[in-house]
Amino acid sequence: MAMDRSEVFKWNVSEHRQVLEALVAFESEVQRAAEILIHAIQNGKAILLAGNGGSASDAQHIAGEFVGRYLLERAGAAAIALGASDAALTSIGNDYGFEQVFSRQVEAFRLQAGAVVLYSTSGNSPNILRAAQTARQLQIPVIGMTGETGGKLSELCDVCIKIPSKTTPRIQEMHALVGHILCEMVESSIPKSA
């Protein structure tokens, strides 16, 4: 039997709260991810971010926070959302296959890249796994943003933030929160002007 709108509202808020409270146990992983990002920025390197669907939007959102600003007025930090270029996605997808749309870009930006942040609620998206493998081969640190199992991606990461949920909407909500927390942790290490 389907829930009515009031029950849907209450259930979603309740489930969100439960996942949020469980997220507190992952502070050390978030701290390690922040250290990787700070190291990349302090060394003049770019942060590459990628995901599919809603996770692509998460990647673009956080890239925008680094390039623009989050809370502090400071110099822009180099960040590239690999899903933002229709031309790159369609040409690579057409010429090499969709599984390589991100890995090819990781390879292309290898000299500029200081970290790769990969979003996959399942941790098993083939194009995300391929991007992680390429980053590992190029010795670029990998931060994974996944659901509770981490999937295959967790084995390819320097740090994997496994949101304690199996529900895609809750995972993505926490990815947004963790992204904002990382921005705030990292932002104070960025010079005030270029």
Side-chain angles (χ1 to χ4, degrees):
M1 184 172 181
M3 292 188 280
D4 66 25
R5 288 188 297 273
S6 178
E7 290 170 325
V8 168
F9 177 82
K10 290 173 184 168
W11 167 250
N12 278 272
V13 170
S14 174
E15 189 178 47
H16 177 94
R17 185 180 294 124
Q18 290 170 12
V19 178
L20 178 63
E21 289 172 359
L23 185 63
V24 173
F26 295 86
E27 180 183 352
S28 63
E29 287 87 349
V30 175
Q31 291 275 12
R32 285 201 319 264
E35 290 168 10
I36 290 169
L37 298 176
I38 289 167
H39 185 263
I41 291 167
Q42 289 180 338
N43 285 287
K45 298 290 186 176
I47 300 164
L48 308 181
L49 303 97
N52 295 294
S55 295
S57 297
D58 289 336
Q60 290 180 29
H61 172 190
I62 299 306
E65 301 286 20
F66 280 116
V67 172
R69 68 175 162 90
Y70 181 63
L71 296 174
L72 302 178
E73 291 299 334
R74 40 83 177 166
I80 302 166
L82 302 180
S85 171
D86 293 340
L89 291 176
T90 56
S91 66
I92 296 166
N94 185 62
D95 294 347
Y96 298 98
F98 192 67
E99 287 186 11
Q100 294 190 48
V101 294
F102 299 133
S103 61
R104 186 73 174 175
Q105 293 181 78
V106 170
E107 179 186 357
F109 292 118
R110 66 190 174 276
L111 299 179
Q112 294 87 11
V116 178
V117 181
L118 299 172
Y119 293 81
S120 174
T121 58
S122 69
N124 293 315
S125 302
N127 57 3
I128 293 295
L129 294 174
R130 184 72 71 91
Q133 291 164 346
T134 299
R136 302 285 301 171
Q137 290 166 358
L138 296 170
Q139 299 182 327
I140 303 167
V142 177
I143 298 167
M145 301 281 275
T146 70
E148 73 179 2
T149 69
K152 295 175 185 174
L153 181 58
S154 65
E155 301 163 14
L156 299 168
C157 296
D158 293 272
V159 59
C160 188
I161 301 167
K162 301 174 189 177
I163 302 302
S165 178
K166 292 183 175 126
T167 306
T168 297
R170 300 299 85 81
I171 296 166
Q172 291 176 330
E173 290 160 10
M174 295 305 129
H175 283 172
L177 174 61
V178 169
H180 283 162
I181 291 169
L182 287 170
C183 288
E184 191 165 351
M185 287 178 167
V186 171
E187 195 167 55
S188 60
S189 69
I190 302 170
K192 291 195 186 293
S193 60

